């Protein structure tokens, strides 16, 4: 889907600040807790997975994704996964927060959990694919111009553009189906190099961009 998370290639966000040499892993204590809570929520508590977490991130609205900061959006996505799996009732977190502030609010009833009936075939994302790769190093390929309703790792800014295969990476499970618990559908993965002018026109700064793309995202250029 095309959501707020697909920001690559857009402008108007200001300059990028490079990290400092002594920058801490977590700027504030709560960020470390948010990181740990999200990892726990992702698997054991919600029964969901990394790709479902990414799909939760891209379903957030602008405020939840941007205004709450990096780890704030992690917490918002964790809450969404818990709601999806009926571990939390919609609005439960807001109601509890208001109650802790002294507001006279009624918290929603605890729902009956409904975790996905789904388990990966192995740990991690790498898999073995028996079929030979469709493309080889040096092939010119085009990223398909598609806009799936669900999760995808095909960035909007490369869709419909041509690039060159640089590396054939290890095969991996397909996030588009894994995020929705519809199977792993493992595929070959390619590092594809795009020219900046191909992506953003003649006035773009000159550079080469390399991105990893799944085989089903690509089509040959005749």
């Amino acid at each position: 889907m095309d959501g707020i998370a697909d920001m690559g290639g857009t402008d108007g966000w200001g300059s990028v600040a490079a990290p400092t040499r002594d920058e801490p892993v977590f700027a504030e204590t709560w960020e470390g807790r948010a990181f740990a809570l999200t990892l726990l929520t992702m698997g054991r508590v919600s029964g969901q997975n990394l790709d479902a977490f990414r799909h939760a991130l891209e379903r957030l609205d602008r405020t939840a994704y941007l205004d709450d900061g990096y780890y704030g959006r992690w917490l918002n996505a964790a809450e969404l996964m818990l709601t999806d799996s009926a571990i939390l009732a919609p609005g439960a977190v807001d109601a509890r927060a208001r109650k802790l502030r002294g507001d006279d609010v009624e918290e929603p009833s605890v729902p009956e959990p409904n975790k996905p009936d789904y388990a990966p075939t192995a740990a991690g994302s790498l898999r073995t694919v028996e079929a030979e790769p469709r493309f080889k190093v040096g092939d010119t390929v085009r990223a398909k111009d598609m806009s799936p309703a669900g999760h995808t790792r095909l960035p909007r800014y490369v869709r419909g553009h041509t690039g060159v295969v640089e590396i054939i990476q290890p095969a991996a499970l397909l996030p588009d189906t894994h995020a929705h618990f519809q199977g792993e559908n493992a595929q070959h993965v390619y590092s594809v190099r795009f020219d900046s002018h191909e992506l953003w026109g003649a006035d773009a700064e000159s550079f080469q961009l390399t991105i990893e793309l799944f085989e089903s995202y690509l089509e040959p250029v005749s």
Side-chain angles (χ1 to χ4, degrees), residues 27-39:
E28 299 181 34
T29 302
W30 73 267
E31 294 181 343
R33 293 172 179 168
F35 176 80
L37 179 62
T38 302
L39 292 185

Side-chain angles (χ1 to χ4, degrees), residues 9-120:
T10 61
D11 54 20
W13 304 103
S15 58
V16 176
T20 60
R21 183 179 296 274
D22 57 350
E23 182 176 291
V25 176
F26 302 110
E28 299 181 34
T29 302
W30 73 267
E31 294 181 343
R33 293 172 179 168
F35 176 80
L37 179 62
T38 302
L39 292 185
L40 181 63
T41 296
M42 194 184 306
R44 183 178 301 177
V45 179
S46 71
Q48 303 207 21
N49 56 50
L50 175 61
D51 293 310
F53 168 63
R54 288 169 173 157
H55 184 48
L57 284 170
E58 67 189 3
R59 285 184 287 148
L60 298 176
D61 61 26
R62 185 198 183 285
T63 298
Y65 190 86
L66 292 177
D67 295 353
D68 291 341
Y70 184 79
Y71 285 106
R73 79 178 63 123
W74 276 46
L75 285 177
N76 293 330
E79 180 183 348
L80 182 54
M81 287 191 296
L82 290 171
T83 304
D84 288 343
S85 293
I87 305 300
L88 290 176
V93 172
D94 286 342
R96 176 65 61 86
R98 291 180 59 193
K99 192 170 185 178
L100 290 173
R101 288 195 299 265
D103 294 350
D104 183 17
V105 298
E106 182 177 349
E107 297 185 50
S109 301
V110 178
E112 183 68 26
N114 185 26
K115 297 181 182 181
D117 183 17
Y118 180 87

Side-chain angles (χ1 to χ4, degrees), residues 7 27 29 57 84 122 142 149 161 177 180 191 199 201 208 216:
M7 299 171 65
T29 302
L57 284 170
D84 288 343
R142 179 182 294 108
H161 293 286
T177 55
H180 299 284
S191 293
L199 297 177
Q208 302 292 306
S216 61

